Amino acid sequence: MIAQMFGWNWRSIGRECRETLGPLGYGAVQTSPPEEHSLLPEKGFPWWQSYSAVSYGLTSRYGTREELAEMVRGCHAAGVRVYVDTIINNMSAIEGCGIGSGGTPYCHYVYPTVPYGPGDFHHCGTPDDAIEDYTDRYQMHHCQTLNAADLATEDDRVQDRIAGYLNDLLSLGIDGFRIDSAKYIAPEDISAIEGRLSRPAYVYQEAVYGLGEGVGPEDYLETGDVMDLRYAGTLSAIFRRGRLAQLRHFGSALPSDRSVVFVANHDTERNGSTLTYADPDHYILANAFLLAWPYGHPKILSDYAFESYDEPSPSDPLGRTLDAACVDGHWLCEHSWPGIGGMVGFHQQVRGEPVVDWIDDSGNLIAFGRGSAGYVVLNGEDSPADGRAYRTSLPAGTYCDVMHGAPHEGVCTGPSYEIDSAGWLHADIAPRSGLALHTGAMVTG
């Protein structure tokens, strides 16, 4: 279970690991890229400047090398692993020259502190060296995307430098890597880089599916787990305008144990291809299903409110990210929303248990159990589902609804429900809401 703390600085992530992520039961946190990056004050320091790498130094808008190391120590003390977003397919897309977030000078094909020069990049011969034909596997692995200087990742020297960067992160205690734009790197190149790592690390790869493209997500199963955006897109479509009964056999084309799944990430929230925080009822229901359903490795996005695509996380006048505050109206902190954060414990409690007791008799209300460990009801209707009885496999007792509260000192901070000796649950479910019960959230009264 991964919390993607998008746009958070290192101090704030370390604090959140101790205060929230660890206590809720998250197993890992995904950070934004730690590499030194371009600075673009003329564009308002957009969020995506962090994906415009200029060196493998560790001074970024999110903090310093020392702050990154302290964050890792804090997260580990809370039982939370740390995965970092890594930019290894390319360097910056900036024409001309500039100064990076750590004070490093660079030009489009010249990065002296790595060092990289023009010979370390692909020049595939198309206009602007850009991909023209996405059905052509060679072009996808040897041409540029969005003008980003595309590294010649098949070269030993480039592989050594990339592995050196990743090994530096491992030396700080980093546990794994999200590989950004992985489908633009040949799988054999990723394998060669991984073979240079100083110790094992968890790897999951962004390999976005494109109909008819020469490269697909399944090509990357040999080099790590894969983020499947088809899962997110289809799940969002069902909660937006489908019927929840369609979720009965929900999954995706990739093997469950190799797929990192989510409702939204930073890209899909900004391009509108999935649900977003702006539709909180459906967003919470979809994330609750994600955490209740036995498919993939779930990842929860924790973002900040934005009005335009480029808008960065709250920053100072020099573009450095401010400390996150979950009560200030800017930081959304979805990872701790009751309908999402409370489901983390549900997910942990029901791990390995089969789906049982499925019902969907209204078409847009579903309920199912996970063995005898948990039970969830999700109402996608705009009207309440009152006076319903649900047959569960849960032991008799009193349960806290973890979508709306938690057990605390023997009582529930939110609603509680009784399961009788025959396994029956009687509950009223509000519109676009639900409930979730599990044996780790039973109380005595």
Side-chain angles (χ1 to χ4, degrees):
M1 170 94 56
I2 304 168
Q4 180 190 356
M5 310 299 281
F6 180 68
W8 288 54
N9 69 22
W10 309 149
R11 289 190 303 270
S12 299
I13 293 176
R15 182 202 68 222
E16 202 67 6
C17 279
R18 295 187 300 271
E19 296 181 358
T20 307
L21 296 178
L24 283 175
Y26 283 95
V29 60
Q30 176 188 311
T31 77
S32 294
E35 290 140 295
E36 183 182 9
H37 53 75
S38 299
L39 289 176
L40 304 172
E42 71 281 4
K43 297 180 181 295
F45 302 106
W47 65 265
W48 46 263
Q49 74 177 18
S50 303
Y51 290 78
S52 181
V54 304
S55 87
Y56 295 142
L58 298 178
T59 298
S60 72
R61 72 187 309 162
Y62 307 112
T64 64
R65 178 188 184 87
E66 292 72 23
E67 288 171 329
L68 178 63
E70 178 61 25
M71 178 201 76
V72 173
R73 289 190 290 270
C75 289
H76 284 176
V80 181
R81 296 179 298 278
V82 179
Y83 306 146
V84 298
D85 204 348
T86 55
I87 315 303
I88 64 172
N89 170 65
N90 53 267
M91 300 301 282
S92 77
I94 308 305
E95 292 287 1
C97 302
I99 302 293
S101 53
T104 297
Y106 68 95
C107 297
H108 193 205
Y109 292 111
V110 179
Y111 302 88
T113 61
V114 178
Y116 287 138
D120 295 311
F121 296 92
H122 287 132
H123 305 281
C124 69
T126 62
D128 299 320
D129 286 325
I131 299 172
E132 290 191 318
D133 181 2
Y134 280 82
T135 69
D136 185 330
R137 188 180 183 92
Y138 179 87
Q139 284 195 25
M140 290 189 70
H141 288 157
H142 293 83
C143 296
Q144 292 185 160
T145 59
L146 302 175
N147 199 45
D150 196 75
L151 285 163
T153 51
E154 70 277 15
D155 289 354
D156 283 342
R157 189 170 72 165
V158 172
Q159 292 175 1
D160 286 342
R161 283 161 172 71
I162 292 172
Y165 164 56
L166 301 181
N167 283 329
D168 187 34
L169 291 169
L170 292 177
S171 76
L172 299 181
I174 296 299
D175 301 284
F177 310 110
R178 174 195 182 265
I179 300 181
D180 184 71
S181 299
K183 77 174 183 180
Y184 301 109
I185 310 171
E188 56 270 25
D189 298 350
I190 295 177
S191 181
I193 293 165
E194 291 173 341
R196 290 165 160 81
L197 296 183
S198 58
R199 61 175 171 84
Y202 177 57
V203 172
Y204 54 112
Q205 303 156 101
E206 183 194 30
V208 179
Y209 173 81
L211 182 63
E213 288 187 351
V215 177
E218 61 280 356
D219 296 326
Y220 292 85
L221 293 173
E222 295 301 315
T223 50
D225 289 352
V226 178
M227 299 168 58
D228 192 353
L229 269 70
R230 287 171 292 185
Y231 187 102
T234 304
L235 185 64
S236 290
I238 290 172
F239 276 92
R240 275 172 165 163
R241 54 186 177 273
R243 308 294 288 175
L244 301 193
Q246 296 171 265
L247 298 169
R248 177 65 184 90
H249 300 287
F250 194 71
S252 193
L254 298 177
S256 174
D257 64 343
R258 304 302 308 281
S259 187
V260 174
V261 293
F262 47 89
V263 173
N265 69 7
H266 62 283
D267 284 320
T268 69
E269 279 228 320
R270 285 158 178 78
N271 65 28
S273 61
T274 62
L275 286 165
T276 76
Y277 71 90
D279 184 3
D281 289 345
H282 291 122
Y283 189 77
I284 289 171
L285 283 181
N287 275 286
F289 176 81
L290 175 86
L291 295 172
W293 192 246
Y295 185 91
H297 306 298
K299 182 162 69 72
I300 302 297
L301 174 65
S302 194
D303 204 340
Y304 55 88
F306 59 91
E307 296 183 358
S308 65
Y309 180 87
D310 290 344
E311 186 173 339
S313 51
S315 305
D316 70 13
L318 297 178
R320 295 171 300 202
T321 300
L322 299 174
D323 290 352
C326 291
V327 295
D328 70 358
H330 298 293
W331 298 94
L332 298 170
C333 302
E334 300 100 311
H335 64 281
S336 60
W337 287 4
I340 297 175
M343 289 300 295
V344 175
F346 183 100
H347 176 80
Q348 304 289 30
Q349 190 72 21
V350 305
R351 186 184 301 275
E353 296 290 337
V355 173
V356 297
D357 304 317
W358 173 277
I359 65 167
D360 60 43
D361 48 332
S362 78
N364 212 26
L365 180 145
I366 61 172
F368 59 91
R370 293 291 304 279
S372 59
Y375 192 80
V376 63
V377 184
L378 302 176
N379 180 17
E381 294 284 0
D382 293 330
S383 56
D386 291 339
R388 294 285 302 266
Y390 304 87
R391 181 64 179 269
T392 81
S393 296
L394 292 175
T398 303
Y399 293 77
C400 298
D401 170 16
V402 297
M403 285 188 68
H404 297 92
H408 179 69
E409 297 181 350
V411 298
C412 298
T413 61
S416 63
Y417 293 89
E418 294 290 329
I419 302 294
D420 69 20
S421 58
W424 285 99
L425 162 68
H426 297 268
D428 298 334
I429 310 297
R432 300 177 303 283
S433 186
L435 65 80
L437 317 177
H438 66 81
T439 50
M442 298 178 71
V443 294
T444 55

